[in-house]
Amino acid sequence: MKVLVINCGSSSIKYQLLDMENEELLSKGLLEKIGINGSNLQHKKGSKKHVIEKEIKNHVEGLKLIINALVDKEIGVVSDINEIDAVGHRVVHGGKIASSLRVTDEVLKAVQDNTFLAPLHNPPNLQGIKAAKEVLPDIPHIAVFDTAYHQTMPVEAYTYAIPKEFRDKYSIRRYGFHGTSHRYIGKATSDFLKKPIDELKIISCHIGNGASICAIDGGKSVDTSMGLTPLEGLIMGTRSGDIDPAIVPFLQEEEGLSPEEVSNILNKKSGMYALTNNKFLDMRDVENRALVNEPLCKTAHSIYEYRIAKYIGAYAAAMNGVDVIVFTAGVGENSPLLRRNVINKYMGYLGAGVDLEKNECRGVSRDISADDASVRVLVIPTNEELMIARDTEEIVKNNLEELHLS
Ligand code: AMP
């Protein structure tokens, strides 16, 4: 079965075509600047990248361009559009949805209804599904939600101690994000260690530009650091992560700022960008300077890693133990410095330690634990698209309407 995986932003479409026979990636690409001057498609066949520059007005036109590239005689990977068997869609906010779902009118309505929880992400996701159904009307479309995996969290983990009236009226609770990545990491960790997932307590650290940590007990998400929105938890590229909520009304009053302005500051002007005095948000820039003891970046990096360590400690407590800590995503997969500092500075008491030689790796699956460690530390590259394609295949092959995630 060949599955097209689509991730739509407001002006972009990311895609991958996978052959699920052997989980082989046939092609991937990114269409940028939809509806803006200078739209272009970067399409990959094998290691070869092809750039097509063409004005693209909307997502329907964009998907047609992508399909044309996929079936093209020279740069394509299938000979006919009919070779694509199904489409898997990444959807950011599913609210209380706990499964991956075959797209129906009801599912589209649910994505629409959850827009108030993810006003930046759900509308383009919805637009993408509608456009793909228009361009590929005869094959199944499956929605896979970033939030769904975390619906197993217990009441202690998902409840905010604010008046019930508001919790009920606005569905305010912890939802968590990066669920598809954390679920992939749970399974990949169990495969790597050759141990059943129900026997493992895993702390999955997805540390990229956006970052979150998940406590996975017996294969289920029992807590995660992002909350109602992706703003809570770890320090990120431009997001503050946890702060005292009293800072919000304080800034509004003292600086005469609107709610939108404060939200913009916390989402777009905080995090590493703020800690480096508005200089850097890419971790490589911060690390390179921290490594040569540039004071600002060294302190920023210490604050960043301290927050990660605090969450790992919290989740070891939440699960009453931990067997394995896994690093993934852009920074987690590629930064020996971060892994070494988080684990060797703070996690000795848990029985975790990183071997400095094994830790010198990037973008590979590897056990980087010190020989005498009782808690394993792994690096595993995440693969959200593959997880979406697996769900899509399972729903379609077994003719299901929904796939329960745990
Ligand atoms: P992601 O959001 O998962 O794509 O991750 C993006 C982040 O990974 C950016 O902050 C990059 O700077 C960071 N990153 C990528 N490669 C490295 C590296 N070699 N060392 C440290 N950070 C990296």
Side-chain angles (χ1 to χ4, degrees):
M1 177 181 292
K2 293 193 178 84
V3 177
L4 179 63
V5 176
I6 289 177
N7 181 359
C8 277
S10 55
S11 63
S12 70
I13 305 174
K14 268 194 221 155
Y15 63 94
Q16 287 195 4
L17 184 66
L18 294 113
D19 185 348
M20 296 311 287
E21 204 67 47
N22 45 7
E23 297 195 334
E24 184 194 354
L25 175 64
L26 300 174
S27 172
K28 66 192 269 192
L30 170 65
L31 173 60
E32 283 184 305
K33 301 195 178 169
I34 298 171
I36 309 171
N37 279 347
S39 30
N40 67 87
L41 174 67
Q42 296 150 48
H43 170 84
K44 262 189 160 182
K45 177 183 180 181
S47 57
K48 265 204 168 169
K49 187 161 154 185
H50 305 269
V51 178
I52 301 169
E53 284 174 14
K54 187 169 186 230
E55 283 317 302
I56 296 294
K57 285 198 215 79
N58 54 45
H59 286 73
V60 171
E61 278 188 19
L63 276 159
K64 285 184 180 161
L65 182 68
I66 290 168
I67 302 291
N68 283 342
L70 289 169
V71 300
D72 187 86
K73 279 210 169 62
E74 273 171 32
I75 64 168
V77 288
V78 287
S79 50
D80 190 283
I81 191 170
N82 294 323
E83 281 189 46
I84 302 172
D85 297 295
V87 185
H89 296 269
R90 178 182 185 220
V91 182
V92 167
H93 217 306
K96 299 219 169 112
I97 292 170
S99 326
S100 295
L101 299 173
R102 187 183 289 263
V103 174
T104 59
D105 288 347
E106 266 176 16
V107 172
L108 291 176
K109 183 175 179 310
V111 177
Q112 174 68 45
D113 289 348
N114 285 321
T115 288
F116 76 104
L117 292 166
L120 295 181
H121 294 102
N122 272 25
N125 293 162
L126 194 60
Q127 215 176 350
I129 300 177
K130 286 182 177 166
K133 277 176 76 76
E134 193 175 324
V135 178
L136 296 162
D138 300 324
I139 58 175
H141 291 254
I142 309 301
V144 178
F145 302 89
D146 248 23
T147 47
Y149 182 54
H150 302 300
Q151 281 294 305
T152 47
M153 284 187 293
V155 65
E156 296 88 336
Y158 72 68
T159 308
Y160 294 118
I162 62 169
K164 184 170 179 338
E165 173 195 349
F166 300 133
R167 279 185 269 140
D168 290 350
K169 191 167 170 190
Y170 302 110
S171 306
I172 293 175
R173 50 164 283 168
R174 178 182 309 285
Y175 289 95
F177 298 84
H178 292 144
T180 310
S181 173
H182 291 302
R183 186 156 59 97
Y184 176 87
I185 290 300
K187 171 153 186 0
T189 301
S190 152
D191 291 347
F192 186 95
L193 296 175
K194 299 189 176 59
K195 264 196 143 186
I197 196 159
D198 35 320
E199 289 173 18
L200 286 171
K201 292 177 194 288
I202 302 168
I203 297 179
S204 165
C205 307
H206 178 116
I207 317 289
N209 187 35
S212 72
I213 301 198
C214 181
I216 304 174
D217 195 349
K220 290 191 164 85
S221 167
V222 294
D223 205 347
T224 192
S225 58
M226 284 177 168
L228 174 75
T229 75
L231 185 56
E232 193 181 347
L234 303 177
I235 295 165
M236 307 178 216
T238 59
R239 292 188 196 128
S240 63
D242 296 339
I243 59 166
D244 181 341
I247 293 170
V248 174
F250 178 83
L251 283 181
Q252 285 179 328
E253 272 178 33
E254 293 298 317
E255 293 286 316
L257 297 171
S258 67
E260 289 81 3
E261 284 168 324
V262 176
S263 172
N264 192 47
I265 289 169
L266 297 178
N267 277 289
K268 304 262 173 70
K269 300 204 164 122
S270 297
M272 293 313 276
Y273 180 67
L275 292 178
T276 57
N277 294 349
N278 303 354
K279 287 205 179 81
F280 310 113
L281 49 93
D282 190 306
M283 260 337 258
R284 277 166 291 204
D285 294 327
V286 183
E287 280 199 0
N288 290 339
R289 287 163 180 83
L291 280 166
V292 293
N293 291 325
E294 199 269 281
L296 187 67
C297 287
K298 201 165 188 311
T299 307
H301 200 268
S302 298
I303 299 169
Y304 180 79
E305 63 199 28
Y306 177 73
R307 179 79 54 87
I308 296 170
K310 271 209 319 195
Y311 266 96
I312 295 175
Y315 289 167
M319 294 191 287
N320 196 9
V322 52
D323 299 305
V324 49
I325 299 165
V326 190
F327 285 93
T328 194
V331 186
E333 290 165 29
N334 292 299
S335 171
L337 177 73
L338 178 93
R339 299 187 298 246
R340 182 188 75 200
N341 283 356
V342 167
I343 299 296
N344 289 2
K345 265 193 194 166
Y346 298 105
M347 297 299 146
Y349 80 101
L350 277 179
V354 155
D355 178 286
L356 298 188
E357 252 175 54
K358 292 181 200 159
N359 185 38
E360 283 305 316
C361 62
R362 294 191 159 83
V364 292
S365 292
R366 185 183 278 187
D367 186 337
I368 58 169
S369 322
D371 290 340
D372 58 352
S374 53
V375 170
R376 314 308 301 162
V377 181
L378 308 183
V379 179
I380 298 184
T382 193
N383 195 338
E384 290 164 278
E385 290 80 8
L386 177 57
M387 201 73 226
I388 293 171
R390 283 179 183 164
D391 283 10
T392 302
E393 183 191 31
E394 197 159 338
I395 289 181
V396 173
K397 259 196 174 163
N398 299 308
N399 204 17
L400 306 172
E401 289 304 307
E402 67 177 311
L403 177 71
H404 297 288
L405 303 184
S406 47

